[in-house]
Amino acid sequence: QVQLVESGGGSVQAGGSLRLSCVVSARALTLWTVGWLRQAPEKEREVVTAFYWGGGDTYYADSVKGRFTVSRDNNKNTVYLQMNNLTPEDTAVYYCAAKFRGSQDYTNWGQGTQVTVSS
């Protein structure tokens, strides 16, 4: 089982930056994919970024490439999402989520954190 606890988020003006954090608790974390997903009103949920903790490439949605960066601290089992040059289109509830290796769907979710970007 995986538990995820997010922090960060808030309100910022367009062009600003925010950093989200997610503490991940799990056995055999290297067997899990961890991602940041977001849900904006009246929009489909979007995978913003994701990576396999055991290694490999990191995925970024086209909408955030060059602006968002995911990183992790293995000693703290913490994942960070650095978001730069934010736009109003980035306004959403952001979730840290995990899925077991080979799974199609994310099965474990954090509580979500609101990010609001004003123009």
Side-chain angles (χ1 to χ4, degrees), residues 3 40 69:
Q3 293 183 326
T69 303

Side-chain angles (χ1 to χ4, degrees), residues 85-102:
N85 194 21
L86 286 160
T87 74
E89 288 68 39
D90 295 315
T91 295
V93 177
Y94 284 71
Y95 297 91
C96 183
K99 58 179 179 177
F100 193 72
R101 181 180 59 185

Side-chain angles (χ1 to χ4, degrees), residues 31-34 52 98-108:
L31 299 180
W32 292 78
T33 291
V34 177
Y52 181 56
K99 58 179 179 177
F100 193 72
R101 181 180 59 185
S103 297
Q104 177 85 10
D105 299 321
Y106 287 88
T107 55
N108 299 77

Side-chain angles (χ1 to χ4, degrees), residues 21-86:
S21 301
C22 175
V23 178
V24 187
S25 302
R27 292 183 178 180
L29 188 54
T30 55
L31 299 180
W32 292 78
T33 291
V34 177
W36 286 98
L37 293 81
R38 66 185 180 185
Q39 178 79 62
E42 301 181 356
K43 291 186 179 179
E44 291 189 1
R45 184 181 295 161
E46 177 183 26
V47 178
V48 174
T49 181
F51 65 92
Y52 181 56
W53 203 286
D57 294 335
T58 299
Y59 166 83
Y60 289 99
D62 287 342
S63 56
V64 306
K65 281 181 182 177
R67 301 187 300 121
F68 289 14
T69 303
V70 66
S71 62
R72 65 186 186 190
D73 184 331
N74 288 328
N75 291 328
K76 297 180 179 180
N77 277 8
T78 301
V79 180
Y80 303 99
L81 181 64
Q82 178 66 43
M83 305 184 292
N84 297 329
N85 194 21
L86 286 160

